[in-house]
Amino acid sequence: MDKQVTINISTAAILKVIVFAAVLAFLFLIKEVIFIIFVALILASAFDPLVDWLQKRRIPRGLGILIIYVVVFAFISLAVILIVPPITKEVGQLSENFPMYYEKIMNGVQNFTSVQTGTAQEQVQDGLKSLGSNLPQTISSLVATIFDIFGGLFSALLVLVITFYLTVQEEAMKSFIQALAPDKIQPYLMRLYSRIQLKMGLWLRGQIILSLVIFVLTFIGLTILGVPYALTLAFLAGLFEIVPFIGPLLASIPAIFFAFLQSPFMGLSVIILYFVIQELENHLIVPKIMSKAVGMNALVVILVILVGAKLGGIVGALLAIPVATGLNEFIKDLIEKKIEAENKLA
């Protein structure tokens, strides 16, 4: 027999759905502002322990964060000045030597016609020449793109100003939460923020140090072995270090390729070098550098980075792990609360 089903929806439920949709729409409209605040929170989380350390040595917090700004900008500028010209030179050398490399490769591959071979060689060589000659302009374009992502120079400066405020005023975030959150959940939000801030700061500082260590070890190893373009290859190794497992593997491919073009012995030596560095990273470097940062499962990290890259490009990939860290802490609290409730019932 057919049964009639009556569904009653209260006015309160309808209002909740409307309010929830309105909040989502509002957050979407101010997504640029949220992004700026979130970046500032990450930077403040990384800088806060350093400012605390300077404060213990009788340096005011305001002066401390300014000192950190100067040191960071000086370090970035110095790195660009020291690294970009040699990389430009190496890319130019790669462009000049590419016909030789290409000939070695094509000697073992007989499936291409001479016309196709010449066309492909010319296209790749022209591309390398263009990259080598335009690398400084490419760096400038990258910086311009970053400023575009932040919404212009004003937004980038706004990030620094908010970071300065959050770091100088120790109770700034507490005041912010008190202004927005209901009194009942303020203590929990403060504890949650403190844990998230600690882990984001540890992750960011640890990741920077880890990338620098891998860059230095790779550069020294490749230089000793005599692998061409050692600086460029080491830079890739440090850059890809943010992605576990897949990053180091991808970074090793071009190094192994150029090494085998020199000789089979050098190719095997580079494979051993990257294997040793990976083992040192897994068993010594990462435990020492990231010991205080509670990390997520490597597979989860890869998935999070892929989702972040899909949603927000390069910046989304970089911010994906801090976001996931915060969500991870919140989910852990929900699970612990549920377990406590079940234990009380038992």
Side-chain angles (χ1 to χ4, degrees), residues 56 64 92 113 119 141 143 148 159 161 163 173 189 196 218 223 264 282 286 288 295 299 305 309 331 334:
K56 291 178 182 179
T113 64
T119 302
S141 299
V143 173
D148 289 340
V159 169
V161 171
T163 302
M173 197 62 198
L189 290 179
I196 293 175
T218 306
T223 302
N282 293 335
V286 170
K288 288 292 183 181
L299 179 60
I305 292 175
I331 292 172
L334 291 180

Side-chain angles (χ1 to χ4, degrees), residues 26-250:
F26 177 72
L27 292 177
F28 179 79
L29 291 175
I30 63 169
K31 58 183 183 295
E32 290 83 5
V33 177
I34 295 175
F35 176 78
I36 290 173
I37 295 174
F38 186 74
V39 173
L41 287 174
I42 295 176
L43 293 178
S45 300
F47 295 156
D48 192 66
L50 300 176
V51 175
D52 290 340
W53 184 82
L54 292 173
Q55 187 179 24
K56 291 178 182 179
R57 283 148 183 82
R58 299 183 179 180
I59 297 178
R61 297 184 69 85
L63 180 59
I65 186 63
L66 289 177
I67 292 174
I68 292 173
Y69 277 173
V70 171
V71 171
V72 170
F73 285 126
F75 178 80
I76 293 174
S77 301
L78 182 63
V80 171
I81 292 172
L82 293 178
I83 291 178
V84 171
I87 291 180
T88 303
K89 182 179 179 180
E90 289 188 353
V91 173
Q93 292 174 348
L94 176 59
S95 172
E96 294 175 1
N97 297 329
F98 183 76
M100 177 185 66
Y101 295 139
Y102 196 83
E103 183 179 354
K104 288 183 179 181
I105 297 171
M106 297 311 297
N107 285 338
V109 181
Q110 302 297 331
N111 296 328
F112 295 94
T113 64
S114 59
V115 176
Q116 290 174 324
T117 300
T119 302
Q121 176 183 334
E122 292 173 1
Q123 289 176 346
V124 176
Q125 188 175 5
D126 290 343
L128 289 172
K129 286 182 179 178
S130 176
L131 177 61
S133 61
N134 296 322
L135 189 58
Q137 291 82 354
T138 303
I139 298 296
S140 300
S141 299
L142 179 60
V143 173
T145 302
I146 293 175
F147 280 124
D148 289 340
I149 292 172
F150 278 106
L153 180 61
F154 175 77
S155 296
L157 292 175
L158 189 58
V159 169
L160 298 179
V161 171
I162 296 175
T163 302
F164 180 88
Y165 174 74
L166 292 175
T167 308
V168 171
Q169 301 293 331
E170 296 183 85
E171 302 297 323
M173 197 62 198
K174 182 177 181 180
S175 302
F176 180 74
I177 292 175
Q178 288 176 343
L180 296 180
D183 295 339
K184 187 181 296 184
I185 63 173
Q186 284 181 10
Y188 167 72
L189 290 179
M190 284 302 304
R191 292 193 301 271
L192 179 62
Y193 168 74
S194 298
R195 299 204 318 267
I196 293 175
Q197 182 189 39
L198 175 63
K199 291 189 176 181
M200 285 197 302
L202 289 172
W203 173 82
L204 181 59
R205 294 192 299 274
Q207 190 61 57
I208 292 173
I209 296 173
L210 181 61
S211 295
L212 288 175
V213 170
I214 296 300
F215 166 76
V216 171
L217 289 178
T218 306
F219 177 70
I220 292 174
L222 294 177
T223 302
I224 292 174
L225 293 175
V227 179
Y229 322 117
L231 183 61
T232 303
L233 297 172
F235 179 77
L236 289 177
L239 187 64
F240 286 1
E241 188 57 34
I242 190 174
V243 184
F245 297 133
I246 297 178
L249 177 62
L250 293 176

